[in-house]
Amino acid sequence: MKTREIMARLQAKYPGEVEYLQAVQEVLESVEDVYNMHPEFEKAKIVERMVEPDRVFSFRVTWTDDKGEVQTNTGYRVQFNSAIGPYKGGLRFHRAVTPSMLKFLGFEQTFKNALTTLPMGGAKGGSDFDPKGKSNAEIMRFCQAFMTELWQCIGPDQDIPAGDVGVGGREIGYLYGMYKKLAREYNTGVLTGKGSTWGGSILRPEATGFGALYFVNHVLRNAGEEIAGKTIAVSGFGNVAWGACIKARQMGAKVVAISGPDGVCHIPDGISDEMIDYMLVMRASNRDRVEDMADKFPEQAFFTAGKKSWSIPVDIALPCAFQNELSEEDAKELVANGCTCCCEVSNMGCQPGAIHYFQNNGVLFAPGKAVNAGGVATSGLEMTQNAQHLSWTAEEVDARLHQIMKSIHEQCVRYGKREDGTVDYVKGANIAGFMKVAQAMLEQGVI
Ligand code: 2IT
């Protein structure tokens, strides 16, 4: 494979699409060696096809705010790859959403979904709608307006959206309500992350965070370490950070930092159950402000404006908020303060410089597409339940989630083991996901 030539072509064709180019570059560098061992991939131009989304939908979303003013946003759905199953991936509502951001996320989703062991293709969607400061009624009206367009693009055997940043159980409820009205059928299989009384997997809200901690546990054990007693810094305070905090506590680790766009909360004694519950209140308020935690628990949580979670000394760093949220400078500060493990829970949470710094300094590092795959995997389990009209208990879902995270870790070790016995999780995850998708594309012909 001529990685440099392919990258040069993409850079010329998509100038300025920094995140997308970054994601593609990482995958191509990881898979180059195995690709070159398969001339049939080169002949079928698998890589050239794989880096382009199958199709991209873009639509206007107009809604009315509480003051009666008409607002217009743009909605998108990027259907990236359907080699191993119907399109699957979240919806992101965030002011910074662009088609390019969703393209990078759809690309990543394709490999992540392949790692889950379940038959799901890759997709991503969303809108530049900013939930910050919006009322519940405004959120509902926006979701309804968004679905009046999206519903034509999706279906249980076609494309199954779920939540992502800014889209949780509440939004999925409003989206499903409008879908049902437009499609005139009660087919819960069209969305995942639904409420547990109407077809949702009982463990989906926690699944991304839980799966991530199961994965961290495998990474540590593989290196001869234990998670119990470790200190952890988490970024964000949304659904993913919330699940990670619950499971970290259950495993005997101490979460000593959470953060928001306004700054960081240092929690020296570790986050408590009460504080974890309060994260949900903070998310539902749409204030997007982590200082609220320090206001509510002034004896336990100490807020510093403008700082990130990575300024707090910890054993383990878990980015749980947004792409590129951990820079090389942050990585240096973490390592200088004794950090020995960083697992991305957000998609592409670390900048390339940070990843290299961690890897060159003996820090255990694992990428988002492996670490956070428990979320979409549990969505896949929800799809199975919906198709079979049955519901599993939390214990049954959790047992499957455990099995899936174990399998993802094994795949990373299989393809990422270095000569010295350590594991390159970036390489392992990329090769494992790539091989599965590439093989399926090859078998399905040139389409
Ligand atoms: O990034 C992700 O994997 C998600 N936002 C979840 C996607 C899903 O379909 O559950």
Side-chain angles (χ1 to χ4, degrees), residues 88-90 109 112 124 160 162-164 192 204 347 372 375-376 379:
K88 180 85 195 90
Q109 195 80 40
K112 179 199 311 193
K124 206 83 187 188
I160 306 95
D164 192 77
T192 61
R204 181 64 187 89
N347 295 305
N372 73 26
V376 71
S379 278

Side-chain angles (χ1 to χ4, degrees), residues 16 29 50 110 112 127 150 175 182 191 193 258 278 307 310 342 370:
E29 279 174 4
M50 212 186 253
T110 302
K112 179 199 311 193
S127 174
L150 184 73
L175 289 164
L182 293 164
L191 289 172
I258 61 170
Y278 194 64
K307 284 275 187 191
W310 324 130
C342 174

Side-chain angles (χ1 to χ4, degrees), residues 196-214:
S196 59
T197 57
W198 47 281
S201 162
I202 191 150
L203 215 68
R204 181 64 187 89
E206 293 89 347
T208 310
F210 279 20
L213 267 292
Y214 299 156

Side-chain angles (χ1 to χ4, degrees), residues 197-260:
T197 57
W198 47 281
S201 162
I202 191 150
L203 215 68
R204 181 64 187 89
E206 293 89 347
T208 310
F210 279 20
L213 267 292
Y214 299 156
F215 196 88
V216 172
N217 200 26
H218 283 297
V219 170
L220 292 177
R221 279 212 200 136
N222 192 62
E225 291 183 43
E226 276 299 323
I227 195 164
K230 295 272 194 294
T231 53
I232 300 181
V234 152
S235 61
F237 57 87
N239 178 50
V240 173
W242 168 77
C245 288
I246 296 174
K247 193 48 78 176
R249 239 175 99 65
Q250 286 175 6
M251 291 176 139
K254 214 159 82 169
V255 176
V256 296
I258 61 170
S259 65

